[in-house]
Amino acid sequence: MALPDPRAARAFRFVRRDYADGVASLVYAFDDGPELIERVVFPDAPSPSLRRAAALEAALDLLHAIAGVSYYKAGVPGAIAFESPAPDAATAAFLDTLYLHGLGEFAYHNRLDLRGRIRFPAGAAVRAAAPLAEQGSAPPRRTLVPIGGGKDSLVSVEILRAAGEDATAVWVGQSPLIAACAERTGLPTLNIRRELSPVLFDYNKLGAYNGHIPVTAINSAILVLAAVLYGHDAVAFSNERSASSATLEYEGQPVNHQWSKGWEFERAFGELVRERVAADLRYYSLLRPLSELAVAERFARHTRYDDVFSSCNRNFRILGPKPADRWCGQCPKCHFVFLALAPFMPKPRLLAIFGRNLLDDATLAPGFDALIEYRDHKPFECVGEGAESRAAFAALAARAEWSEDALVARFADEIAPQLDAAELALPALLAPSGEHRIPVQLQPFVLDAHR
Ligand SMILES: CC(=O)N[C@H]1[C@@H](OP(=O)(O)OP(=O)(O)OC[C@H]2O[C@@H](n3ccc(=O)[nH]c3=O)[C@H](O)[C@@H]2O)O[C@H](CO)[C@@H](O)[C@@H]1O[C@H](C)C(=O)N[C@@H](C)C(=O)N[C@@H](CCC(=O)O)C(=O)O
Ligand SMILES: Nc1ncnc2c1ncn2[C@@H]1O[C@H](COP(=O)(O)OP(=O)(O)OP(=O)(O)O)[C@@H](O)[C@H]1O
């Protein structure tokens, strides 16, 4: 039977969700079209105790509502409907914000205006969640630390290790690269599988709307459910301060590729988890006070991951080709991570990691120009702020081993003279600052730059 066009649909339906034998099934549909079923598989998950059922149900509801964004985007119809009870008003307002900003880049590229279009229906009020300690046996103090294959989460692992925290390295999906990083941490590991509905890919082939989604929000909701199932009391992401900055402004609205890695999401989601899932379950980012450069400086202190990690997102595609090398060398993420690590590592070590010198390749000038916001905007990728990239270039221009490399010399000769030298200093960008939700006992390990 021919698939209906989701762009012509009247409503997006949250049909049902359930959890049994380690599998969460999340079901959606456009109008009366075929069901879109996503499955999330939690290996060897212990049977949830009856007493912890309330937290499980609430975490499952949250995951169902958040993961719907992958499917909703295929049609962005004007109505959203729930067949199960609709979320309470506070959750509905959170979802409005998440879908609007999390789909900001998608809307920009598809020339859609989603303002006023995304309205989650609000159902009955619900009671505040009890602590896990009152919903069953209290979990020991244990942290789930999500691993993304890149430098950030590995910095968090080392912070947790230094603080003597009991942590489990966890990742979603089937990336062998992430698995190798998780193994290298030496921590206990947990791999959660996620199977998107194949109907989404059929819709995509037919020309449905497509584009970027707030994947960190989805991973966050999966890991909160995992914390309830496996008995952890904290989920510690590795999202840095720089992730809160918009990629660009369009029609007066900030558009941020990394919106669900930002502070606004962390705060709202973390509070919702406490109020709706369990009052003693903490969701936070351990790296929130740090800039990308500060994270790079911390990563450079450890050589343990040099031959396994990669921040190049081309490795993490579900579909489509993956790069022949761990670092493709062509994408904004490769350019930025090379530039951010360069001031903090011996040059031979960095060249060994990447297998080449990206800053001595004049053909890459446009890519690096976008990072420093020179004649272009910041790329739609997880990269630091323009000020951080400019400061890294300035630091390299002052070092004999880098100053003659093509792009560093070009920066010094052509671009730096147009900039305010006071804004190019590294130390200010390395100091921790800003808001965070880091538990008190871990704060010294993040905020004290020398630990
Ligand atoms: C790996 C990657 O960067 N993928 C982005 C890419 O997708 P592509 O088509 O090249 O490959 P796939 O990832 O295999 O996706 C296939 C289709 O499936 C859709 N999809 C995938 C996962 C999901 O959870 N929901 C989905 O609907 C996807 O849209 C494809 O149609 O381009 C896409 C369009 O721009 C991006 O959406 C893909 O991004 C992935 C979802 C992804 O995991 N990206 C992260 C590396 C990423 O961008 N992280 C951001 C954080 C953003 C946030 O706010 O959370 C970052 O680190 O900055
Ligand atoms: N597949 C995944 N499973 C679980 N968590 C993930 C996954 N991919 C990314 N994350 C988490 O999402 C957050 C943002 O990812 P991001 O790619 O910025 O981090 P990273 O891979 O650790 O470092 P880098 O910025 O160098 O790529 C991190 O906390 C990361 O651990």
Side-chain angles (χ1 to χ4, degrees), residues 258-313:
Q258 310 182 69
W259 191 81
S260 66
K261 287 173 61 184
W263 171 242
E264 187 180 352
F265 173 80
E266 179 189 331
R267 195 178 40 190
F269 182 72
E271 284 311 309
L272 208 55
V273 168
R274 288 175 78 99
E275 286 160 14
R276 298 287 175 265
V277 180
D280 51 358
L281 179 50
R282 287 166 303 159
Y283 168 90
Y284 65 94
S285 173
L286 196 51
L287 306 186
R288 180 63 67 204
L290 305 183
S291 65
E292 277 275 10
L293 287 182
V295 176
E297 187 275 322
R298 289 193 177 230
F299 182 81
R301 296 179 196 177
H302 309 275
T303 52
R304 181 180 188 134
Y305 304 106
D306 284 10
D307 64 331
V308 285
F309 87 110
S310 177
S311 305
C312 174
N313 282 340

Side-chain angles (χ1 to χ4, degrees), residues 145-156 170-175 178 192 215-216 219-220 223 236-240 258 261 285 287 292 295 309-313 316 327 333 337 382:
V145 54
I147 305 293
K151 61 187 178 351
D152 301 0
S153 34
L154 299 171
V155 168
S156 288
V170 56
W171 72 106
V172 177
Q174 281 152 303
S175 162
I178 302 182
I192 296 168
V215 67
T216 307
N219 285 336
S220 298
L223 293 180
F237 266 78
S238 305
N239 300 324
E240 66 288 339
Q258 310 182 69
K261 287 173 61 184
S285 173
L287 306 186
E292 277 275 10
V295 176
F309 87 110
S310 177
S311 305
C312 174
N313 282 340
F316 305 123
W327 300 90
K333 208 62 197 281
V337 175
C382 168

Side-chain angles (χ1 to χ4, degrees), residues 58-109:
L60 197 54
D61 278 339
L62 215 43
L63 173 59
H64 187 216
I66 290 175
V69 72
S70 293
Y71 306 97
Y72 168 82
K73 76 165 184 326
V76 291
I80 291 174
F82 276 76
E83 255 120 272
S84 47
D88 66 281
T91 307
F94 163 81
L95 293 167
D96 287 346
T97 307
L98 167 65
Y99 275 55
L100 179 67
H101 293 296
L103 291 177
E105 175 183 339
F106 158 89
Y108 171 78
H109 285 305

Side-chain angles (χ1 to χ4, degrees), residues 125-160:
V126 291
R127 279 208 313 226
L132 283 171
E134 289 169 23
Q135 295 190 38
S137 55
R141 210 179 80 202
R142 286 200 303 189
T143 300
L144 282 177
V145 54
I147 305 293
K151 61 187 178 351
D152 301 0
S153 34
L154 299 171
V155 168
S156 288
V157 165
E158 294 308 318
I159 291 173
L160 293 167

Side-chain angles (χ1 to χ4, degrees), residues 70 73 194 196 200-201 204 210-216 218 257-261 313 316-319 381-382:
S70 293
K73 76 165 184 326
R194 179 168 175 234
L196 285 156
L200 176 67
F201 302 127
N204 287 347
N210 200 355
H212 189 57
I213 48 103
V215 67
T216 307
I218 299 171
H257 171 79
Q258 310 182 69
W259 191 81
S260 66
K261 287 173 61 184
N313 282 340
F316 305 123
R317 286 190 171 131
I318 307 167
L319 307 172
E381 259 289 5
C382 168

